[in-house]
């Protein structure tokens, strides 16, 4: 009775057969089994679209399909199909090491069973079980999924959400996350011996998510950096864009808000270039451009046009430009001395606080300037008198504004 062979080429010798060669054939079978269990072969499938059949070699070594790992090589210029006979049952480690952006499909020679395909960009390694269904009509290929090294897989995909299990994901410098179109979306840059970092916190209903600076240092700033002439924008939604500056307890704060859309404003305000000075206010000192896109340069300006009223005076004093005085002469006459170095437009205001100027006069000391054009002090003796002195120049000096 003649020998028979398994689908992978192992010889099954009949009783009493192969006298004198039995040992050689047995050794070949053992080597073939070893090759099936752990053998490696490279198979070139270079060329255009084609079907390559991996054939069995009964009773001999080196049949392509009788290896555990098969590496497909060569430059392919079309989609490839690699087949094995329908009765083969085995599992393979397949590596797609071809060059060229085309698919490589591994399937049974006939039937409608499932196949396995390396996509045009998948230059990776896969473990495939060739089921070899008993009826051999529609056997199928089943990919065995593992959680091992993905270095060889140039386009790995997750079957579910990735849980880091309390570990980190390490990014190389200037690398990060891309979108589904392979465009950069979030890039991380490294700093040697970094101790501070950004913390992102989500929020429950009614609260705002947070981006914060944290780390080993006690005080850590948070920097936002535009590129080139770009700006850092605070976008609007239902309301115009706004920045809220909170107190240290974050329980309340003030809000700086943009004009509404209806105003059409896109102007720019530049802060003063000079030092901060007390008792000044911000004003637009100059404007470049015009209309809704004008650029205003702010400056620190002195307050003018108002009177700073002081507490009631009951003794002699020297006045300050821009101030107003309630003068009480109930107990004694009082002299108010005018400022020594006035400028045009300076004003000093006085009022008879108790209606006693008629009994105890109030004297306006001229200091070094004239009053109403005369180099003499001014005596006020009218009950409930009130007036404003305005400085003009060296000729007329201080003039009474209300008579």
């Amino acid at each position: 009775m003649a020998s028979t062979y398994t689908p992978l080429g192992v010889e099954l010798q009949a009783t009493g057969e192969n006298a004198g060669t039995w040992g050689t054939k047995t050794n070949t079978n053992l080597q073939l089994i070893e090759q099936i269990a752990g053998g490696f072969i490279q198979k070139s499938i270079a060329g255009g679209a084609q079907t390559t059949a991996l054939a069995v070699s009964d009773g001999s070594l080196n049949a392509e399909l009788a290896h555990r790992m098969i590496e497909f090589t060569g430059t392919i210029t079309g989609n490839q199909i690699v087949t094995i006979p329908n009765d083969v049952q085995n599992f393979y480690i397949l590596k797609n090491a071809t060059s060229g952006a085309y698919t490589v499909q591994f399937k049974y020679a006939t039937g409608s069973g499932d196949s396995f395909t390396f996509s045009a960009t998948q230059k990776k390694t896969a473990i495939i079980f060739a089921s070899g269904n008993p009826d051999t009509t529609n056997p199928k290929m089943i990919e065995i999924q593992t959680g091992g090294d993905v270095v060889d897989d140039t386009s790995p995909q997750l079957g579910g959400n990735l849980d880091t299990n309390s570990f980190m994901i390490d990014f190389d410098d200037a690398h990060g996350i891309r979108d589904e179109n392979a465009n950069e979306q979030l890039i991380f840059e490294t700093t040697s011996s970094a101790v501070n970092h950004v913390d992102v916190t989500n929020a429950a209903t009614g609260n705002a998510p947070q981006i914060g600076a944290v780390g080993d240092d006690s005080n850590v700033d948070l920097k936002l950096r535009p590129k080139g002439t770009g700006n850092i924008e605070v976008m609007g939604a239902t309301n115009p864009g706004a920045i809220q500056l909170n107190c240290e307890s974050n329980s309340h704060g003030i809000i700086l808000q943009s004009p509404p859309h209806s105003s059409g404003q896109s102007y720019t305000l530049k802060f003063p270039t000079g030092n901060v000075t007390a008792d000044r206010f911000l004003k637009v000192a100059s404007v470049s451009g015009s209309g809704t896109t004008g650029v205003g340069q702010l400056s620190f300006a002195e307050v003018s046009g108002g009177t700073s009223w002081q507490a009631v005076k009951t003794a002699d004093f020297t006045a300050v430009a821009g101030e107003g005085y309630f003068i009480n002469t109930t107990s004694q006459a009082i002299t108010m001395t005018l400022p020594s170095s006035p400028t045009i437009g300076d004003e000093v205001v006085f009022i008879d606080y108790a209606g006693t100027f008629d009994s105890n006069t109030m004297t306006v000391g001229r200091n070094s300037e004239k009053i109403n054009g005369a180099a003499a002090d001014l005596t006020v003796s009218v009950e409930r008198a009130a007036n404003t002195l305005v400085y003009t120049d060296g000729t007329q000096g201080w003039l009474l504004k209300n008579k």
Side-chain angles (χ1 to χ4, degrees), residues 113-148:
D114 296 338
S115 63
F116 170 77
T117 302
F118 292 105
S119 72
T121 59
Q122 284 180 323
K123 308 300 181 182
K124 70 172 188 175
T125 300
I127 300 175
I128 306 301
F129 175 61
S131 66
N133 292 345
D135 64 3
T136 70
T137 303
N138 295 304
K140 58 185 177 180
M141 302 294 181
I142 302 171
E143 182 181 7
I144 300 174
Q145 302 288 344
T146 67

Side-chain angles (χ1 to χ4, degrees), residues 6-49:
T6 68
L8 290 172
V10 177
E11 183 174 356
L12 304 177
Q13 302 180 68
T15 302
E17 186 184 14
N18 302 322
T21 61
W22 186 90
T24 299
K25 290 180 177 291
T26 298
N27 288 339
T28 298
N29 276 342
L30 292 174
Q31 288 177 305
L32 183 56
I33 292 171
E34 185 179 57
Q35 177 181 284
I36 294 169
F40 168 79
I41 191 172
Q42 290 180 312
K43 173 63 177 177
S44 175
I45 55 174

Side-chain angles (χ1 to χ4, degrees), residues 157-398:
Q157 294 180 328
L158 297 175
N161 294 327
L162 178 62
D163 185 345
T164 63
N165 195 28
S166 298
F167 288 93
M168 295 285 191
I169 298 175
D170 293 339
F171 289 94
D172 290 335
D173 185 35
H175 289 76
I177 300 172
R178 302 193 305 180
D179 65 19
E180 62 181 352
N181 301 310
N183 297 317
E184 294 174 344
Q185 192 155 24
L186 181 62
I187 299 298
F188 299 92
E189 295 183 3
T190 62
T191 299
S192 298
S193 303
V195 296
N196 301 319
H197 58 276
V198 172
D199 182 87
V200 180
T201 306
N202 58 9
T205 302
N207 295 282
Q210 176 178 290
I211 298 176
V214 296
D216 292 350
D217 291 345
S218 299
N219 302 296
V220 184
D221 293 336
L222 182 63
K223 296 182 178 180
L224 299 178
R225 181 188 64 204
K227 181 180 179 182
T229 59
N231 297 316
I232 296 172
E233 293 189 26
V234 177
M235 302 183 72
T238 303
N239 294 324
I243 298 175
Q244 180 167 320
L245 305 177
N246 280 357
C247 68
E248 67 277 13
S249 298
N250 294 307
S251 58
H252 53 266
I254 64 169
I255 297 175
L256 303 177
Q257 189 174 65
S258 170
H261 171 73
S262 58
S263 69
Q265 295 297 325
S266 296
Y267 56 76
T268 300
L269 294 178
K270 293 184 177 181
F271 279 90
T273 57
N275 296 336
V276 175
T277 306
D279 297 325
R280 298 292 187 270
F281 69 96
L282 286 173
K283 76 170 185 178
V284 178
S286 62
V287 176
S288 59
S290 61
T292 60
T293 59
V295 178
Q297 176 63 60
L298 300 180
S299 67
F300 294 112
E302 293 187 49
V303 176
S304 62
T307 301
S308 177
W309 288 97
Q310 306 300 303
V312 176
K313 299 293 185 180
T314 58
D316 296 347
F317 65 97
T318 299
V320 176
E323 292 185 350
Y325 302 98
F326 303 100
I327 301 175
N328 183 2
T329 62
T330 299
S331 300
Q332 61 182 351
I334 296 176
T335 298
M336 177 185 75
T337 303
L338 293 172
S340 60
S341 300
T343 58
I344 296 175
D346 283 352
E347 294 186 354
V348 173
V349 183
F350 66 86
I351 294 177
D352 182 359
Y353 171 78
T356 56
F357 281 6
D358 57 339
S359 56
N360 290 315
T361 61
M362 190 276 284
T363 300
V364 180
R366 69 183 188 88
N367 208 323
S368 57
E369 301 293 333
K370 297 177 181 179
I371 298 177
N372 289 332
D377 293 340
L378 174 67
T379 299
V380 182
S381 58
V382 177
E383 183 179 332
R384 297 296 182 184
N387 217 316
T388 301
L389 292 118
V390 182
Y391 183 76
T392 57
D393 54 26
T395 302
Q396 294 297 319
W398 295 90

